[in-house]
Amino acid sequence: MTKIVKPLYHCPMKQKEAPIKNLIQKITQVLHKYERMEKLPLVITIDGGDPLTVSTKEVHTIEVIGNHQEINITDVAGHFGITKSGASQMVSKLEKKGFVERRQSAHSNKEYWLYLTQTGWAAYHTHERMHGEERVDLFEHLSEFPVSELDKTAQILGALEKTLDTRLKQADLKKA
């Protein structure tokens, strides 16, 4: 006995093909722009000293560390959905620049907690101010949409994330 699966929507796949392709194209464009934005420098000046620069990607790592007490490399990796190796490389870079420091955990000789230095906190607060301005702009744009559409968009992005997770797991298995 074969099981009949009804489509979620009563719309033939052919009718959905063009809108799905358009959506994928728009998501791809947004991701490419976001990737470019992640490389943009953020200039930080502390107490009238020489300006320091940090990339947006680096400052997002600083933000995560600043938002969490006693966070470790594994937690940072999990937050961004990256490997522990990738998170460790980013943290090492931030340590060399003087934004982050590692301290041994009181509970384990093998575990280290990550903390922001004074310079790291300056970068954190500079980024927070910048994000506050951008967030107001983004909220203004998004508030034009009904809640149901925002929820639906979150579901669509969740479906995209599942597809990406599958692809990344396959790539990880090939590496192993």
Side-chain angles (χ1 to χ4, degrees):
M1 178 180 211
T2 57
K3 185 177 178 182
I4 298 173
V5 179
K6 291 183 180 180
L8 206 51
Y9 299 98
H10 304 291
C11 174
M13 192 59 187
K14 276 288 187 200
Q15 286 179 309
K16 287 185 176 181
E17 192 172 319
I20 289 172
K21 285 181 177 180
N22 289 338
L23 177 62
I24 291 169
Q25 180 185 3
K26 182 52 74 178
I27 290 170
T28 302
Q29 288 171 340
V30 168
L31 290 174
H32 286 294
K33 288 178 183 181
Y34 187 82
E35 185 179 358
R36 281 180 38 214
M37 187 198 69
E38 285 283 286
K39 295 175 184 173
L40 294 175
L42 179 67
V43 179
I44 299 136
T45 306
I46 303 169
D47 298 328
D50 291 335
L52 301 169
T53 60
V54 61
S55 72
T56 304
K57 186 180 242 178
E58 290 169 333
V59 86
H60 284 159
T61 305
I62 289 168
E63 177 183 37
V64 168
I65 295 168
N67 286 341
H68 299 88
Q69 294 293 321
E70 298 183 339
I71 191 169
N72 61 28
I73 296 287
T74 302
D75 296 332
V76 171
H79 180 84
F80 290 110
I82 61 174
T83 64
K84 286 197 293 186
S85 173
S88 182
Q89 288 174 19
M90 177 60 74
V91 168
S92 293
K93 190 187 298 187
L94 291 170
E95 278 182 296
K96 288 176 187 165
K97 290 183 168 188
F99 292 101
V100 173
E101 64 182 10
R102 296 179 205 222
R103 295 184 204 149
Q104 193 169 17
S105 164
H107 309 339
S108 168
N109 291 345
K110 295 180 180 180
E111 187 167 23
Y112 288 85
W113 300 121
L114 304 172
Y115 296 91
L116 297 182
T117 63
Q118 180 182 358
T119 305
W121 280 112
Y124 177 91
H125 293 300
T126 300
H127 178 252
E128 201 172 54
R129 280 189 301 277
M130 182 188 78
H131 252 314
E133 295 164 6
E134 289 176 351
R135 199 167 280 131
V136 167
D137 187 45
L138 181 59
F139 270 69
E140 283 179 16
H141 291 300
L142 294 178
S143 68
E144 298 172 11
F145 295 94
V147 172
S148 62
E149 288 186 29
L150 296 171
D151 289 341
K152 186 60 69 183
T153 302
Q155 290 175 346
I156 290 168
L157 292 174
L160 172 63
E161 183 178 24
K162 285 179 186 177
T163 301
L164 294 174
D165 286 343
T166 300
R167 176 97 184 263
L168 291 170
K169 282 180 188 174
Q170 290 171 347
D172 289 343
L173 288 174
K174 286 180 182 178
K175 286 182 188 177

